[in-house]
Amino acid sequence: MESVRVAPAPAAAAAALAEQKLKLIEQKTESLPPAAAAAAKAPASACKWAMKKKLVGGDAGYVLEDVPHLTDYLPELPTYPNPLQDNPAYSVVKQYFVNTDDTVTQKIVVHRTSARGTHFRRAGPRQRVYFQSDEVNAAIVTCGGLCPGLNTVIRELVCGLYDMYGITSVVGIEGGYKGFYSRNTVTLTPKSVNDIHKRGGTILGTSRGGHDTAKIVDSLQDRGINQVYIIGGDGTQQGASVIYEEVRRRGLKCAVVGVPKTIDNDIAVIDKSFGFDTAVEEAQRAINAAHVEAESAENGIGVVKLMGRNSGFIAMYATLASRDVDCCLIPESPFYLEGKGGLLEFIQKRLKDSGHMVIVVAEGAGQDLIAQSMNFVDTQDASGNKLLLDVGLWLSQKIKDHFKKKTNFPITLKYIDPTYMIRAVRSNASDNVYCTLLAHSALHGAMAGYTGYTVAPVNGRHAYIPFYRITEKQNKVVITDRMWARVLCSTNQPCFLSHEDVENMKHDDDERHHLHNTQLLDGSPAKCSPDCNGSAAVV
């Protein structure tokens, strides 16, 4: 199908765009994920759909990044009335169903002459559904690392399918992706999952790697599964995208739905990921302990390592919440140890002024410094993630070595690593509510025939987001943003950056925003920038 180009919509072009009618744009993407190798072996005609994005352009620079639908490749599917309209629990609801034209804007702060920008399809129940309750066989799988709230999502998916749609065939896949072809399924009912939200971890078990597209889709086909809910981080969602592609290539009536999970809060586009609030809350315990230890000793130093492989959100928010932290180190903000303005000089000054200090460091911070000092060669885990060196232990030793050289300057240093304690706890009240909304939004979309999407809030409204939007890059702390400035004001630490470095970063951010808006609207290929932040989708 020939692409229809929508003209760019800067301020000067907004008036011209007002004359345009809505047009469907199918834009070729630059490449498939690596795991799509098996699907790529199929004939080019069969895989042509996999190379396109589903975009809709509208007036005043409006762009809808839509998600796939079963009728895109199964156009003759019948529809049925949504059983929610007969559900007593919904009898008091003023509006049962979401309007089919409702969308959620990605950017809510705009100028008077700004284009309307990117939108996503609003999540929620539709008036017509594409599955009858008795034909649905649903499966749920959890992949990747642990995170508070996994069991809550499982529970609410199961109870939502049973209680809202009358679906009684729900199974769990044990052990992550490899469980599709190496393990038996577990029957899930509201009774069997009733209390699981009170536990940490996942009752289904999890693992990294194990993604074999052909075997997984064979399993779905053999077991008659026609709705699959995949809970995991950006790597897991990339795997879900490839599963969707193969399901569509085979012409199967099977909705593939992702629920994004990462304790690091590093998934792009979405407001936040579940488990993050709990992680920040639990991190306070470790910071409080470090502060007590540091305050109780002469020249006491408490070092706390928190999770944050590539993004320092937990460290940043825990620092702001605590107000007892004197220095916060994150992967996005480089630092150096020695010399004028370095970390060691700052530590010494703070100890002289206050007699104690607390340092919070994200696990991914300072990895280049450690690798240089140890001649370390990069290695990866089963999910393809870079294996990190222990920055907490390394930093603690460097601090100790530095002060050993100082006469009459004894220090007492305590190192606390609560990493696995934090991710293994049960979710708090806020995350429990959030997980419920995610689960319900996910199953409403599947019943309405949407597929190949993940669900999450964007600017406070739950939306259906194409897989490619959350797998093309990671969300990161923007150190030229006001939130990071608030951290620096709270800790009174130096930023460890020169004025020139800061100006260059601001310039790069402005260029990324401009390129994204221009390329998305004019239909040109969008290239991923590995270091761009959550507000700049693609460049």
PDB file of all heavy atoms in Angstrom, residues 121-146:
ATOM      1  N   ARG A 121      -4.112   5.465  21.184  1.00  0.00           N
ATOM      2  CA  ARG A 121      -5.509   5.077  21.361  1.00  0.00           C
ATOM      3  C   ARG A 121      -5.813   4.876  22.850  1.00  0.00           C
ATOM      4  O   ARG A 121      -5.067   4.212  23.565  1.00  0.00           O
ATOM      5  CB  ARG A 121      -5.795   3.792  20.581  1.00  0.00           C
ATOM      6  CG  ARG A 121      -7.280   3.445  20.544  1.00  0.00           C
ATOM      7  CD  ARG A 121      -7.571   2.383  19.507  1.00  0.00           C
ATOM      8  NE  ARG A 121      -7.371   2.855  18.146  1.00  0.00           N
ATOM      9  CZ  ARG A 121      -8.243   3.612  17.480  1.00  0.00           C
ATOM     10  NH1 ARG A 121      -9.373   3.983  18.062  1.00  0.00           N
ATOM     11  NH2 ARG A 121      -7.991   3.966  16.239  1.00  0.00           N
ATOM     12  N   ARG A 122      -6.899   5.469  23.310  1.00  0.00           N
ATOM     13  CA  ARG A 122      -7.269   5.385  24.716  1.00  0.00           C
ATOM     14  C   ARG A 122      -7.687   3.961  25.083  1.00  0.00           C
ATOM     15  O   ARG A 122      -8.388   3.281  24.331  1.00  0.00           O
ATOM     16  CB  ARG A 122      -8.414   6.348  25.012  1.00  0.00           C
ATOM     17  CG  ARG A 122      -8.819   6.404  26.479  1.00  0.00           C
ATOM     18  CD  ARG A 122     -10.013   7.309  26.690  1.00  0.00           C
ATOM     19  NE  ARG A 122     -10.474   7.252  28.071  1.00  0.00           N
ATOM     20  CZ  ARG A 122     -11.608   7.784  28.508  1.00  0.00           C
ATOM     21  NH1 ARG A 122     -12.412   8.403  27.647  1.00  0.00           N
ATOM     22  NH2 ARG A 122     -11.962   7.687  29.773  1.00  0.00           N
ATOM     23  N   ALA A 123      -7.246   3.507  26.248  1.00  0.00           N
ATOM     24  CA  ALA A 123      -7.592   2.167  26.729  1.00  0.00           C
ATOM     25  C   ALA A 123      -8.981   2.173  27.358  1.00  0.00           C
ATOM     26  O   ALA A 123      -9.460   3.200  27.818  1.00  0.00           O
ATOM     27  CB  ALA A 123      -6.556   1.700  27.742  1.00  0.00           C
ATOM     28  N   GLY A 124      -9.596   1.002  27.386  1.00  0.00           N
ATOM     29  CA  GLY A 124     -10.892   0.862  28.036  1.00  0.00           C
ATOM     30  C   GLY A 124     -11.808  -0.073  27.266  1.00  0.00           C
ATOM     31  O   GLY A 124     -11.503  -0.493  26.143  1.00  0.00           O
ATOM     32  N   PRO A 125     -12.959  -0.421  27.835  1.00  0.00           N
ATOM     33  CA  PRO A 125     -13.895  -1.360  27.188  1.00  0.00           C
ATOM     34  C   PRO A 125     -14.577  -0.727  25.979  1.00  0.00           C
ATOM     35  O   PRO A 125     -14.893   0.460  25.974  1.00  0.00           O
ATOM     36  CB  PRO A 125     -14.903  -1.677  28.302  1.00  0.00           C
ATOM     37  CG  PRO A 125     -14.853  -0.484  29.210  1.00  0.00           C
ATOM     38  CD  PRO A 125     -13.442   0.009  29.163  1.00  0.00           C
ATOM     39  N   ARG A 126     -14.798  -1.549  24.952  1.00  0.00           N
ATOM     40  CA  ARG A 126     -15.512  -1.115  23.752  1.00  0.00           C
ATOM     41  C   ARG A 126     -16.907  -1.751  23.715  1.00  0.00           C
ATOM     42  O   ARG A 126     -17.148  -2.784  24.332  1.00  0.00           O
ATOM     43  CB  ARG A 126     -14.742  -1.538  22.500  1.00  0.00           C
ATOM     44  CG  ARG A 126     -13.782  -0.491  21.928  1.00  0.00           C
ATOM     45  CD  ARG A 126     -12.769  -0.001  22.899  1.00  0.00           C
ATOM     46  NE  ARG A 126     -11.854   0.993  22.279  1.00  0.00           N
ATOM     47  CZ  ARG A 126     -10.882   1.593  22.916  1.00  0.00           C
ATOM     48  NH1 ARG A 126     -10.653   1.318  24.193  1.00  0.00           N
ATOM     49  NH2 ARG A 126     -10.128   2.497  22.312  1.00  0.00           N
ATOM     50  N   GLN A 127     -17.792  -1.121  22.938  1.00  0.00           N
ATOM     51  CA  GLN A 127     -19.174  -1.592  22.879  1.00  0.00           C
ATOM     52  C   GLN A 127     -19.284  -2.961  22.217  1.00  0.00           C
ATOM     53  O   GLN A 127     -20.130  -3.770  22.608  1.00  0.00           O
ATOM     54  CB  GLN A 127     -20.035  -0.576  22.126  1.00  0.00           C
ATOM     55  CG  GLN A 127     -21.527  -0.830  22.251  1.00  0.00           C
ATOM     56  CD  GLN A 127     -22.342   0.371  21.817  1.00  0.00           C
ATOM     57  OE1 GLN A 127     -21.796   1.348  21.303  1.00  0.00           O
ATOM     58  NE2 GLN A 127     -23.643   0.316  22.011  1.00  0.00           N
ATOM     59  N   ARG A 128     -18.429  -3.236  21.255  1.00  0.00           N
ATOM     60  CA  ARG A 128     -18.428  -4.525  20.576  1.00  0.00           C
ATOM     61  C   ARG A 128     -17.114  -5.236  20.854  1.00  0.00           C
ATOM     62  O   ARG A 128     -16.054  -4.612  20.919  1.00  0.00           O
ATOM     63  CB  ARG A 128     -18.594  -4.351  19.065  1.00  0.00           C
ATOM     64  CG  ARG A 128     -19.794  -3.536  18.639  1.00  0.00           C
ATOM     65  CD  ARG A 128     -21.097  -4.249  18.878  1.00  0.00           C
ATOM     66  NE  ARG A 128     -21.247  -5.452  18.047  1.00  0.00           N
ATOM     67  CZ  ARG A 128     -22.343  -6.228  18.074  1.00  0.00           C
ATOM     68  NH1 ARG A 128     -23.356  -5.943  18.896  1.00  0.00           N
ATOM     69  NH2 ARG A 128     -22.416  -7.276  17.293  1.00  0.00           N
ATOM     70  N   VAL A 129     -17.178  -6.554  21.042  1.00  0.00           N
ATOM     71  CA  VAL A 129     -15.981  -7.349  21.287  1.00  0.00           C
ATOM     72  C   VAL A 129     -15.834  -8.386  20.183  1.00  0.00           C
ATOM     73  O   VAL A 129     -16.786  -8.692  19.463  1.00  0.00           O
ATOM     74  CB  VAL A 129     -16.033  -8.031  22.669  1.00  0.00           C
ATOM     75  CG1 VAL A 129     -16.044  -6.995  23.784  1.00  0.00           C
ATOM     76  CG2 VAL A 129     -17.234  -8.973  22.785  1.00  0.00           C
ATOM     77  N   TYR A 130     -14.624  -8.936  20.062  1.00  0.00           N
ATOM     78  CA  TYR A 130     -14.323  -9.878  18.986  1.00  0.00           C
ATOM     79  C   TYR A 130     -14.115 -11.301  19.486  1.00  0.00           C
ATOM     80  O   TYR A 130     -13.711 -12.177  18.729  1.00  0.00           O
ATOM     81  CB  TYR A 130     -13.082  -9.396  18.218  1.00  0.00           C
ATOM     82  CG  TYR A 130     -13.388  -8.222  17.316  1.00  0.00           C
ATOM     83  CD1 TYR A 130     -13.501  -6.941  17.848  1.00  0.00           C
ATOM     84  CD2 TYR A 130     -13.595  -8.403  15.960  1.00  0.00           C
ATOM     85  CE1 TYR A 130     -13.801  -5.852  17.030  1.00  0.00           C
ATOM     86  CE2 TYR A 130     -13.891  -7.328  15.135  1.00  0.00           C
ATOM     87  CZ  TYR A 130     -13.998  -6.055  15.679  1.00  0.00           C
ATOM     88  OH  TYR A 130     -14.311  -4.992  14.868  1.00  0.00           O
ATOM     89  N   PHE A 131     -14.410 -11.517  20.755  1.00  0.00           N
ATOM     90  CA  PHE A 131     -14.334 -12.862  21.335  1.00  0.00           C
ATOM     91  C   PHE A 131     -15.609 -13.133  22.125  1.00  0.00           C
ATOM     92  O   PHE A 131     -16.081 -12.267  22.867  1.00  0.00           O
ATOM     93  CB  PHE A 131     -13.150 -12.986  22.296  1.00  0.00           C
ATOM     94  CG  PHE A 131     -11.794 -12.908  21.657  1.00  0.00           C
ATOM     95  CD1 PHE A 131     -11.142 -11.695  21.543  1.00  0.00           C
ATOM     96  CD2 PHE A 131     -11.167 -14.059  21.177  1.00  0.00           C
ATOM     97  CE1 PHE A 131      -9.885 -11.607  20.977  1.00  0.00           C
ATOM     98  CE2 PHE A 131      -9.914 -13.992  20.595  1.00  0.00           C
ATOM     99  CZ  PHE A 131      -9.271 -12.761  20.492  1.00  0.00           C
ATOM    100  N   GLN A 132     -16.151 -14.332  21.958  1.00  0.00           N
ATOM    101  CA  GLN A 132     -17.197 -14.789  22.866  1.00  0.00           C
ATOM    102  C   GLN A 132     -16.521 -15.384  24.103  1.00  0.00           C
ATOM    103  O   GLN A 132     -15.456 -15.992  24.009  1.00  0.00           O
ATOM    104  CB  GLN A 132     -18.089 -15.821  22.185  1.00  0.00           C
ATOM    105  CG  GLN A 132     -18.963 -15.229  21.091  1.00  0.00           C
ATOM    106  CD  GLN A 132     -19.865 -16.281  20.462  1.00  0.00           C
ATOM    107  OE1 GLN A 132     -19.379 -17.255  19.874  1.00  0.00           O
ATOM    108  NE2 GLN A 132     -21.174 -16.095  20.584  1.00  0.00           N
ATOM    109  N   SER A 133     -17.158 -15.223  25.246  1.00  0.00           N
ATOM    110  CA  SER A 133     -16.535 -15.634  26.503  1.00  0.00           C
ATOM    111  C   SER A 133     -16.135 -17.107  26.505  1.00  0.00           C
ATOM    112  O   SER A 133     -15.057 -17.471  26.988  1.00  0.00           O
ATOM    113  CB  SER A 133     -17.482 -15.349  27.674  1.00  0.00           C
ATOM    114  OG  SER A 133     -17.776 -13.964  27.749  1.00  0.00           O
ATOM    115  N   ASP A 134     -16.988 -17.957  25.947  1.00  0.00           N
ATOM    116  CA  ASP A 134     -16.713 -19.393  26.013  1.00  0.00           C
ATOM    117  C   ASP A 134     -15.679 -19.862  24.990  1.00  0.00           C
ATOM    118  O   ASP A 134     -15.256 -21.019  25.008  1.00  0.00           O
ATOM    119  CB  ASP A 134     -18.001 -20.206  25.859  1.00  0.00           C
ATOM    120  CG  ASP A 134     -18.754 -19.891  24.576  1.00  0.00           C
ATOM    121  OD1 ASP A 134     -18.243 -19.088  23.760  1.00  0.00           O
ATOM    122  OD2 ASP A 134     -19.853 -20.448  24.378  1.00  0.00           O
ATOM    123  N   GLU A 135     -15.250 -18.974  24.085  1.00  0.00           N
ATOM    124  CA  GLU A 135     -14.228 -19.371  23.108  1.00  0.00           C
ATOM    125  C   GLU A 135     -12.824 -18.954  23.533  1.00  0.00           C
ATOM    126  O   GLU A 135     -11.837 -19.358  22.932  1.00  0.00           O
ATOM    127  CB  GLU A 135     -14.532 -18.769  21.735  1.00  0.00           C
ATOM    128  CG  GLU A 135     -14.236 -17.285  21.612  1.00  0.00           C
ATOM    129  CD  GLU A 135     -14.263 -16.759  20.184  1.00  0.00           C
ATOM    130  OE1 GLU A 135     -13.484 -17.256  19.347  1.00  0.00           O
ATOM    131  OE2 GLU A 135     -15.055 -15.839  19.918  1.00  0.00           O
ATOM    132  N   VAL A 136     -12.715 -18.138  24.588  1.00  0.00           N
ATOM    133  CA  VAL A 136     -11.420 -17.594  24.973  1.00  0.00           C
ATOM    134  C   VAL A 136     -10.621 -18.598  25.798  1.00  0.00           C
ATOM    135  O   VAL A 136     -11.120 -19.177  26.775  1.00  0.00           O
ATOM    136  CB  VAL A 136     -11.579 -16.286  25.777  1.00  0.00           C
ATOM    137  CG1 VAL A 136     -10.225 -15.821  26.313  1.00  0.00           C
ATOM    138  CG2 VAL A 136     -12.212 -15.211  24.902  1.00  0.00           C
ATOM    139  N   ASN A 137      -9.386 -18.818  25.401  1.00  0.00           N
ATOM    140  CA  ASN A 137      -8.392 -19.540  26.197  1.00  0.00           C
ATOM    141  C   ASN A 137      -7.222 -18.577  26.404  1.00  0.00           C
ATOM    142  O   ASN A 137      -6.463 -18.300  25.473  1.00  0.00           O
ATOM    143  CB  ASN A 137      -7.911 -20.806  25.475  1.00  0.00           C
ATOM    144  CG  ASN A 137      -9.007 -21.823  25.307  1.00  0.00           C
ATOM    145  OD1 ASN A 137      -9.632 -22.237  26.275  1.00  0.00           O
ATOM    146  ND2 ASN A 137      -9.271 -22.236  24.068  1.00  0.00           N
ATOM    147  N   ALA A 138      -7.109 -18.054  27.618  1.00  0.00           N
ATOM    148  CA  ALA A 138      -6.114 -17.019  27.892  1.00  0.00           C
ATOM    149  C   ALA A 138      -4.910 -17.609  28.610  1.00  0.00           C
ATOM    150  O   ALA A 138      -5.025 -18.559  29.387  1.00  0.00           O
ATOM    151  CB  ALA A 138      -6.732 -15.906  28.739  1.00  0.00           C
ATOM    152  N   ALA A 139      -3.743 -17.017  28.337  1.00  0.00           N
ATOM    153  CA  ALA A 139      -2.502 -17.439  28.996  1.00  0.00           C
ATOM    154  C   ALA A 139      -1.782 -16.206  29.526  1.00  0.00           C
ATOM    155  O   ALA A 139      -1.829 -15.136  28.917  1.00  0.00           O
ATOM    156  CB  ALA A 139      -1.602 -18.193  28.023  1.00  0.00           C
ATOM    157  N   ILE A 140      -1.112 -16.377  30.663  1.00  0.00           N
ATOM    158  CA  ILE A 140      -0.366 -15.293  31.308  1.00  0.00           C
ATOM    159  C   ILE A 140       1.048 -15.778  31.570  1.00  0.00           C
ATOM    160  O   ILE A 140       1.255 -16.898  32.041  1.00  0.00           O
ATOM    161  CB  ILE A 140      -1.026 -14.878  32.638  1.00  0.00           C
ATOM    162  CG1 ILE A 140      -2.493 -14.465  32.413  1.00  0.00           C
ATOM    163  CG2 ILE A 140      -0.253 -13.749  33.310  1.00  0.00           C
ATOM    164  CD1 ILE A 140      -3.282 -14.302  33.701  1.00  0.00           C
ATOM    165  N   VAL A 141       2.059 -14.942  31.280  1.00  0.00           N
ATOM    166  CA  VAL A 141       3.446 -15.310  31.515  1.00  0.00           C
ATOM    167  C   VAL A 141       4.193 -14.114  32.077  1.00  0.00           C
ATOM    168  O   VAL A 141       3.897 -12.965  31.732  1.00  0.00           O
ATOM    169  CB  VAL A 141       4.121 -15.810  30.210  1.00  0.00           C
ATOM    170  CG1 VAL A 141       4.182 -14.705  29.168  1.00  0.00           C
ATOM    171  CG2 VAL A 141       5.502 -16.384  30.485  1.00  0.00           C
ATOM    172  N   THR A 142       5.120 -14.368  32.994  1.00  0.00           N
ATOM    173  CA  THR A 142       5.989 -13.317  33.537  1.00  0.00           C
ATOM    174  C   THR A 142       7.431 -13.628  33.154  1.00  0.00           C
ATOM    175  O   THR A 142       7.881 -14.767  33.270  1.00  0.00           O
ATOM    176  CB  THR A 142       5.863 -13.223  35.070  1.00  0.00           C
ATOM    177  OG1 THR A 142       6.099 -14.506  35.660  1.00  0.00           O
ATOM    178  CG2 THR A 142       4.482 -12.759  35.474  1.00  0.00           C
ATOM    179  N   CYS A 143       8.148 -12.600  32.700  1.00  0.00           N
ATOM    180  CA  CYS A 143       9.515 -12.794  32.215  1.00  0.00           C
ATOM    181  C   CYS A 143      10.448 -11.744  32.808  1.00  0.00           C
ATOM    182  O   CYS A 143      10.014 -10.677  33.237  1.00  0.00           O
ATOM    183  CB  CYS A 143       9.555 -12.699  30.691  1.00  0.00           C
ATOM    184  SG  CYS A 143       8.414 -13.783  29.823  1.00  0.00           S
ATOM    185  N   GLY A 144      11.751 -12.044  32.812  1.00  0.00           N
ATOM    186  CA  GLY A 144      12.744 -11.089  33.281  1.00  0.00           C
ATOM    187  C   GLY A 144      12.898 -11.109  34.788  1.00  0.00           C
ATOM    188  O   GLY A 144      12.563 -12.089  35.468  1.00  0.00           O
ATOM    189  N   GLY A 145      13.404 -10.017  35.341  1.00  0.00           N
ATOM    190  CA  GLY A 145      13.662  -9.932  36.775  1.00  0.00           C
ATOM    191  C   GLY A 145      12.401  -9.727  37.589  1.00  0.00           C
ATOM    192  O   GLY A 145      11.340  -9.394  37.065  1.00  0.00           O
ATOM    193  N   LEU A 146      12.536  -9.911  38.898  1.00  0.00           N
ATOM    194  CA  LEU A 146      11.407  -9.710  39.796  1.00  0.00           C
ATOM    195  C   LEU A 146      11.120  -8.224  39.972  1.00  0.00           C
ATOM    196  O   LEU A 146      11.984  -7.378  39.763  1.00  0.00           O
ATOM    197  CB  LEU A 146      11.679 -10.343  41.157  1.00  0.00           C
ATOM    198  CG  LEU A 146      11.787 -11.870  41.195  1.00  0.00           C
ATOM    199  CD1 LEU A 146      12.012 -12.347  42.626  1.00  0.00           C
ATOM    200  CD2 LEU A 146      10.529 -12.518  40.615  1.00  0.00           C
TER     201      LEU A 146
END
